[in-house]
Amino acid sequence: MNKGFIIGRISTDVELKTTTSGIAVTRFNIASDRRMSNGEKQTDFFTCVAWRNNAEFISKYFAKGQMCAVTGKLQIRDW
């Protein structure tokens, strides 16, 4: 089972794009805070990609700075 659940603030502008075949896609980052054992706060940034109807909904109703919750498949990419 590969499922992730992230709650945080959108840290980049949400921009709707379309592929050459006309499929809607949006990419945005979520900043999620977590507390360390010594009480300090650390922020993790997650890149999220949404397709089709989800992409259109997110680009219409969400903006940078808003809280959101995302659930989906996790994929790690090495650069």
Side-chain angles (χ1 to χ4, degrees):
M1 177 191 246
N2 181 359
K3 191 166 193 172
F5 189 77
I6 302 167
I7 299 174
R9 293 197 179 275
I10 298 174
S11 63
T12 56
D13 290 326
V14 178
E15 183 179 343
L16 182 66
K17 297 181 180 182
T18 56
T19 64
T20 54
S21 58
I23 297 172
V25 61
T26 188
R27 179 174 293 169
F28 57 96
N29 290 336
I30 293 182
S32 180
D33 294 332
R34 61 184 165 108
R35 300 262 180 222
M36 304 297 287
S37 59
N38 59 4
E40 292 182 15
K41 183 173 71 170
Q42 185 173 1
T43 304
D44 296 312
F45 293 89
F46 300 91
T47 302
C48 301
V49 180
W51 296 88
R52 296 180 176 83
N53 292 338
N54 288 334
E56 293 171 0
F57 181 86
I58 291 167
S59 68
K60 184 175 180 179
Y61 293 107
F62 289 90
K64 182 177 178 180
Q66 285 185 302
M67 286 289 287
C68 72
V70 175
T71 184
K73 181 176 74 171
L74 296 175
Q75 182 179 1
I76 297 174
R77 297 182 181 173
D78 294 326
W79 302 96

